Amino acid sequence: MVLVYLVAISMAFSLITIVYISKKTASENQKWLLLSLVCTAFCQMLYFMEMTSGEPTMLSLLYNMKYIMKCFVLLCYWKFTATYTNLEVNRYVSYVLYAGVLIISFALTTNRYHGLVYSVGGVGEDYVVPYLIVEPNKFYYVIIYGMVWLTIFCDIVIFMRLRGSYGLERRRLVFMFFSVTIPIMGLLLQRLMNQEKVDIVILGMTISTILVLIVVVKYGLLDTVQLARDAIVDNT
């Protein structure tokens, strides 16, 4: 039951972070980071419900919704990264990403009819909480690869900006790098271990939320005045 309490605490922490960031000056940076955190909180809530449910149909529904939210977390964080680093993204690239998330959402929502994403092997009851026994199919790996490549692209954009940054800006970017990388490392670790008993990605998202709060509070990630000053310093 420790895991259940841990996820509940993580969800509460995410909500506190959301409230804090929502009170910051409205900006594109704030909007996309806030949306990413809202989706993170939804992921944690769905995982909490998943752990406290033992009914196969409900577990499958929650599992699907949880993966859809994971995709939206990453998409919103990508938009935040692009906005923060002033990256000019071709609108067609954005359209492709939006369409990809919608296709993934549709595939997961209708998986019970076609089984392209995964097959259900039953409900595991050999752990402290019930979990869905999943047998991944081809489209499942398409989703995983897509999430990994989008994370890598975020990391490349952050790293490119990191090379010419100093002081507070450099610290912000380092925190951003780890906050987007840790959850996807959890996803890869979970797949390498081939286990569904514990959703390591959700735990990684909790660490990321902590990093986001630190960089917002301590290093002024959403402080528009401070960011403007740093931009002037970097350009002189």
Side-chain angles (χ1 to χ4, degrees):
M1 293 301 290
V2 174
L3 182 61
V4 178
Y5 294 138
L6 179 62
V7 174
I9 293 170
S10 300
M11 186 166 52
F13 182 80
S14 293
L15 292 174
I16 292 171
T17 305
I18 289 169
V19 171
Y20 180 81
I21 290 179
S22 67
K23 294 181 178 180
K24 290 290 182 179
T25 304
S27 64
E28 281 294 299
N29 289 339
Q30 187 233 28
K31 179 182 75 174
W32 289 112
L33 184 59
L34 191 59
L35 285 173
S36 178
L37 290 169
V38 168
C39 292
T40 296
F42 267 111
C43 277
Q44 293 166 334
M45 180 187 70
L46 291 166
Y47 188 41
F48 180 83
M49 293 171 66
E50 187 180 328
M51 290 189 295
T52 54
S53 173
E55 204 276 317
T57 304
M58 180 58 70
L59 278 174
S60 182
L61 175 63
L62 293 170
Y63 185 90
N64 293 341
M65 293 175 65
K66 186 178 65 175
Y67 259 89
I68 291 171
M69 281 296 106
K70 287 176 183 177
C71 292
F72 275 102
V73 168
L74 187 53
L75 178 64
C76 291
Y77 203 92
W78 152 247
K79 292 292 293 183
F80 166 70
T81 301
T83 303
Y84 182 84
T85 58
N86 297 315
L87 178 69
E88 293 186 9
V89 181
N90 187 293
R91 62 177 179 174
Y92 294 109
V93 173
S94 297
Y95 292 159
V96 169
L97 291 175
Y98 296 150
V101 172
L102 290 176
I103 291 170
I104 290 171
S105 301
F106 180 76
L108 283 165
T109 304
T110 59
N111 183 72
R112 61 181 298 185
Y113 302 109
H114 51 69
L116 291 175
V117 185
Y118 64 86
S119 302
V120 178
V123 177
E125 298 180 350
D126 57 336
Y127 193 59
V128 291
V129 293
Y131 62 94
L132 198 67
I133 300 175
V134 172
E135 299 174 5
N137 292 328
K138 290 182 179 179
F139 197 72
Y140 182 94
Y141 292 105
V142 172
I143 296 172
I144 300 300
Y145 293 149
M147 294 173 72
V148 170
W149 278 112
L150 188 54
T151 301
I152 291 173
F153 198 53
C154 284
D155 286 340
I156 291 173
V157 171
I158 293 171
F159 183 75
M160 294 296 289
R161 178 71 176 266
L162 188 63
R163 289 193 306 170
S165 64
Y166 304 93
L168 283 177
E169 175 67 0
R170 190 174 187 85
R171 295 189 185 100
R172 294 188 198 108
L173 291 167
V174 168
F175 272 81
M176 285 174 61
F177 178 88
F178 283 108
S179 66
V180 71
T181 304
I182 289 174
I184 212 68
M185 293 300 294
L187 178 62
L188 292 175
L189 179 62
Q190 187 164 317
R191 293 289 16 113
L192 287 173
M193 295 171 61
N194 194 29
Q195 67 88 23
E196 295 289 343
K197 295 181 180 180
V198 179
D199 194 328
I200 304 175
V201 181
I202 300 296
L203 301 180
M205 285 180 173
T206 301
I207 297 173
S208 292
T209 303
I210 294 172
L211 294 178
V212 167
L213 185 61
I214 291 173
V215 74
V216 169
V217 174
K218 189 173 182 180
Y219 299 120
L221 182 65
L222 298 176
D223 188 338
T224 53
V225 175
Q226 183 63 50
L227 292 176
R229 288 173 180 169
D230 290 347
I232 293 172
V233 171
D234 289 339
N235 291 327
T236 56

